[in-house]
């Protein structure tokens, strides 16, 4: 009678070890990435307000240009993990190379668009006459690093699929340090101003990409995988990523709508919204780390033709997401007297932010379930469902958010709409998880 519970406990401990082993380094790498922008801002900020404003506009454009292609990491992780589970490491690395070649093609295309259109893009974002020249300079130089950033995304997906999240952590930390040193040296030592900051970041990004390429190429040679581009493989990577691109664009639309609505509510509301959104994004890194572990683990189980293991891992990861969400929510509530003064001394902004901040805290358990199931379904290669579910979520959120200025409730009502958005996502993902239709085994979906 005691053997079954003991076996269940052993399985849970195994899942827990795997989740921690993959999620903790992934969290470190995720947190290291936005530090690039923070370091650039701290260094450029001492050059002047116009330079910092230009950096802000250019960075927003660059972040958007790269983040919409995050499917290069997600789709590659799932595809590689399946082949790892199937025991075919050669095919796993070959799949990873296809993702990297796709990243290069997309990166070259983005450069071809950004370089000639940089002034128009900067003007579209409403940069002032004093900030626009600095923004254009930074954008044009930094665009050279876009292929490197996309290679990093794809190669990170390869290593995650191979159940390796430690190497991306080491590369991210090294890249952050190199970026800081190069920025200081080129901005002040070489007196290149904002151009020096852009070149420093580009050099650091290509350095990171080079390290990843060395690691992946060594793996390809070790397992006898071809390094040359394969048209069919690149096309398959693009087809797998297309639904995730729709998902990502829908999510970006939700965040843009929320910011636009907050801006219509007034200066205090948009200021408070930016503070809360920064916290919400930080909390998302912790939950996304578990999702990344889910992508790698689920893909491996399905590739190994182990549907029972995949379902058991899914259940355990949902429990992790829920528990971490509860802990994060409690931390937000307990730390709110310390958190808000870090960003503002304006009592109006604080009063506006406080009830919305509590709304964010209460929604964290929901967010935990959403992020984990998102990762599980990505690991299963269930991109088309994720795309459709996010479009449904956008259709529900948009009218709810746009009605906030008319119906009243201010920023708290807007974050109530954000909580509604996460609840809809949770329901659509739970329906899919319970249906079992995502459990498709084999080396390919």
């Amino acid at each position: 009678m005691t053997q079954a519970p003991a076996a269940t406990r052993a399985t849970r401990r195994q899942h827990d070890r795997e989740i921690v082993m993959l999620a903790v380094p992934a969290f470190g790498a995720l947190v290291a990435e936005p530090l690039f922008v923070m370091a650039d801002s701290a260094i450029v900020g001492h050059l002047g307000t116009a330079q910092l404003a230009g950096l802000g506009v250019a960075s927003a454009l660059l972040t958007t240009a790269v983040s919409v292609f995050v499917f290069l990491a997600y789709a590659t992780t799932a595809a590689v993990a399946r082949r790892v589970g199937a025991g075919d490491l050669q095919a796993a690395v070959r799949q990873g190379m296809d993702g990297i070649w796709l990243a290069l093609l997309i990166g070259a295309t983005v450069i071809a668009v950004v370089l000639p259109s940089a002034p128009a893009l900067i003007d579209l974002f409403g940069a002032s006459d004093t900030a626009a020249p600095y923004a254009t300079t930074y954008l044009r130089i930094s665009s050279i690093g876009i292929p490197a950033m996309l290679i990093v995304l794809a190669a990170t997906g390869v290593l995650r699929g191979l159940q390796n999240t430690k190497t991306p952590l080491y590369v991210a930390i090294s890249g952050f340090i190199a970026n800081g040193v190069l920025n200081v040296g080129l901005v002040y030592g070489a007196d290149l101003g904002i151009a020096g900051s852009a070149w420093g970041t580009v050099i650091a990004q290509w350095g990171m990409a080079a390290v990843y390429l060395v690691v992946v190429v060594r793996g390809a040679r070790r397992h006898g995988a071809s390094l040359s581009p394969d048209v069919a493989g690149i096309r398959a990577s693009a087809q797998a990523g297309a639904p995730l691109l729709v998902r990502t664009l829908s999510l970006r639309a939700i965040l843009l709508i929320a910011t636009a609505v907050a801006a219509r509510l007034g200066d205090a509301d948009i200021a408070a919204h930016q503070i809360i959104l920064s916290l919400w994004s930080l909390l998302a890194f912790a939950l996304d780390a578990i999702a990344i572990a889910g992508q790698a683990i689920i893909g491996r189980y399905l590739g190994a033709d182990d549907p029972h293991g995949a379902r058991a891992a899914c259940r355990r990861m949902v429990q992790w997401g829920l528990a971490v969400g509860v802990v994060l929510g409690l931390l937000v509530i307990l730390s709110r007297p310390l958190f808000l003064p870090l960003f503002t001394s304006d009592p109006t902004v604080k009063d506006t932010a406080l009830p919305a901040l509590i709304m964010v805290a209460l929604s964290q358990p929901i967010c935990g379930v959403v992020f984990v199931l998102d990762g599980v379904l990505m690991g299963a290669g269930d991109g088309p469902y994720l795309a459709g579910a996010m479009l449904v979520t956008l259709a529900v959120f948009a009218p709810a958010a746009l009605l906030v200025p008319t119906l009243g409730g201010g920023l708290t009502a807007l974050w109530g709409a954000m909580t509604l958005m996460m609840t809809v996502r949770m329901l659509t993902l739970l329906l899919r998880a319970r249906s079992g239709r995502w459990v498709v085994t084999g080396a390919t979906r």
Side-chain angles (χ1 to χ4, degrees):
M1 295 294 291
T2 59
Q3 288 183 348
T8 301
R9 286 195 297 272
T11 300
R12 286 179 177 175
R13 283 195 296 270
Q14 177 188 348
H15 288 150
D16 291 345
R17 283 193 297 270
E18 286 188 319
I19 293 168
V20 171
M21 181 182 70
L22 293 170
V24 172
F27 174 69
L30 288 168
V31 171
E33 290 172 9
L35 292 179
F36 269 82
V37 176
M38 291 180 63
D40 287 0
S41 299
I43 293 167
V44 172
H46 291 284
L47 294 174
T49 301
Q51 288 91 330
L52 184 59
L55 173 66
V57 174
S59 294
L61 279 163
L62 288 165
T63 301
T64 301
V66 174
S67 64
V68 295
F69 298 116
V70 73
F71 71 82
L72 288 166
Y74 294 158
T76 304
T77 298
V80 172
R82 275 184 176 270
R83 287 159 176 79
V84 169
D88 191 347
L89 291 178
Q90 182 185 69
V93 178
R94 174 66 261 181
Q95 179 70 45
M97 287 303 306
D98 292 335
I100 291 172
W101 280 112
L102 177 61
L104 273 171
L105 289 173
I106 294 174
T109 303
V110 174
I111 285 182
V113 172
V114 171
L115 277 177
S117 62
L121 290 170
I122 295 300
D123 184 63
L124 184 65
F125 265 60
S128 66
D129 291 340
T130 54
Y134 297 111
T136 301
T137 297
Y138 191 91
L139 181 60
R140 278 182 165 157
I141 296 172
S142 294
S143 67
I144 300 170
I146 289 175
M149 289 187 277
L150 299 185
I151 290 171
V152 167
L153 283 177
T156 300
V158 176
L159 295 182
R160 288 172 181 171
L162 293 171
Q163 318 294 297
N164 176 2
T165 56
K166 290 183 179 179
T167 299
L169 171 62
Y170 301 148
V171 175
I173 292 174
S174 301
F176 169 68
I177 294 172
N179 179 65
V181 172
L182 287 166
N183 267 255
V184 171
L186 294 174
V187 171
Y188 299 111
D191 198 26
L192 294 179
I194 195 169
S197 176
W199 280 118
T201 301
V202 166
I203 294 169
Q205 288 163 345
W206 275 108
M208 292 171 66
V211 172
Y212 274 118
L213 288 175
V214 168
V215 172
V216 174
V217 167
R218 283 179 178 174
R221 289 174 175 168
R222 185 165 58 250
H223 298 294
S226 173
L227 298 175
S228 60
D230 176 65
V231 175
I234 294 171
R235 186 186 301 115
S237 295
Q239 289 173 344
L244 296 180
L245 176 61
V246 173
R247 168 203 169 273
T248 302
L249 289 173
S250 299
L251 181 57
R252 296 293 299 183
I254 287 170
L255 297 178
L256 287 172
I257 290 170
T259 300
V261 170
R264 290 179 62 189
L265 296 175
D267 289 346
D269 293 88
I270 186 61
H273 176 74
Q274 290 303 113
I275 293 171
I276 294 170
L277 190 60
S278 67
L279 175 63
W280 191 77
S281 300
L282 178 63
L283 298 174
F285 285 134
L287 298 172
D288 204 26
I290 305 174
I292 287 169
Q295 292 171 33
I297 293 170
I298 293 298
R300 192 190 71 230
Y301 273 116
L302 294 177
D305 289 318
D306 186 357
H308 298 294
R311 289 190 180 94
C314 174
R315 287 193 296 271
R316 189 57 177 164
M317 280 182 283
V318 169
Q319 292 169 357
W320 267 81
L322 188 61
V324 172
V326 170
V327 171
L328 291 177
L330 290 173
L331 287 175
V332 170
I333 291 174
L334 293 174
S335 65
R336 69 188 188 278
L338 302 174
F339 174 75
L340 289 175
L342 290 175
F343 290 87
T344 181
S345 57
D346 187 330
T348 303
V349 175
K350 289 180 183 178
D351 292 342
T352 303
L354 185 58
L357 193 63
I358 294 174
M359 183 76 70
V360 170
L362 294 176
S363 70
Q364 286 310 295
I366 297 172
C367 294
V369 175
V370 167
F371 274 81
V372 167
L373 288 179
D374 214 33
V376 166
L377 296 184
M378 284 183 191
D382 205 11
Y385 182 83
L386 289 172
M390 188 59 77
L391 288 172
V392 170
T393 302
L394 174 60
V396 173
F397 170 78
L402 293 173
L403 283 172
V404 167
T406 302
L407 298 180
L411 191 66
T412 304
L414 176 60
W415 277 93
M418 289 287 285
T419 302
L420 170 65
M421 178 269 294
M422 293 303 292
T423 303
V424 173
R425 288 186 69 188
M426 183 181 69
L427 293 175
T428 58
L429 295 174
L430 281 172
L431 284 172
R432 188 63 166 182
R434 291 176 66 87
S435 74
R437 293 178 184 174
W438 58 278
V439 184
V440 180
T441 59
T444 58
R445 184 180 172 86

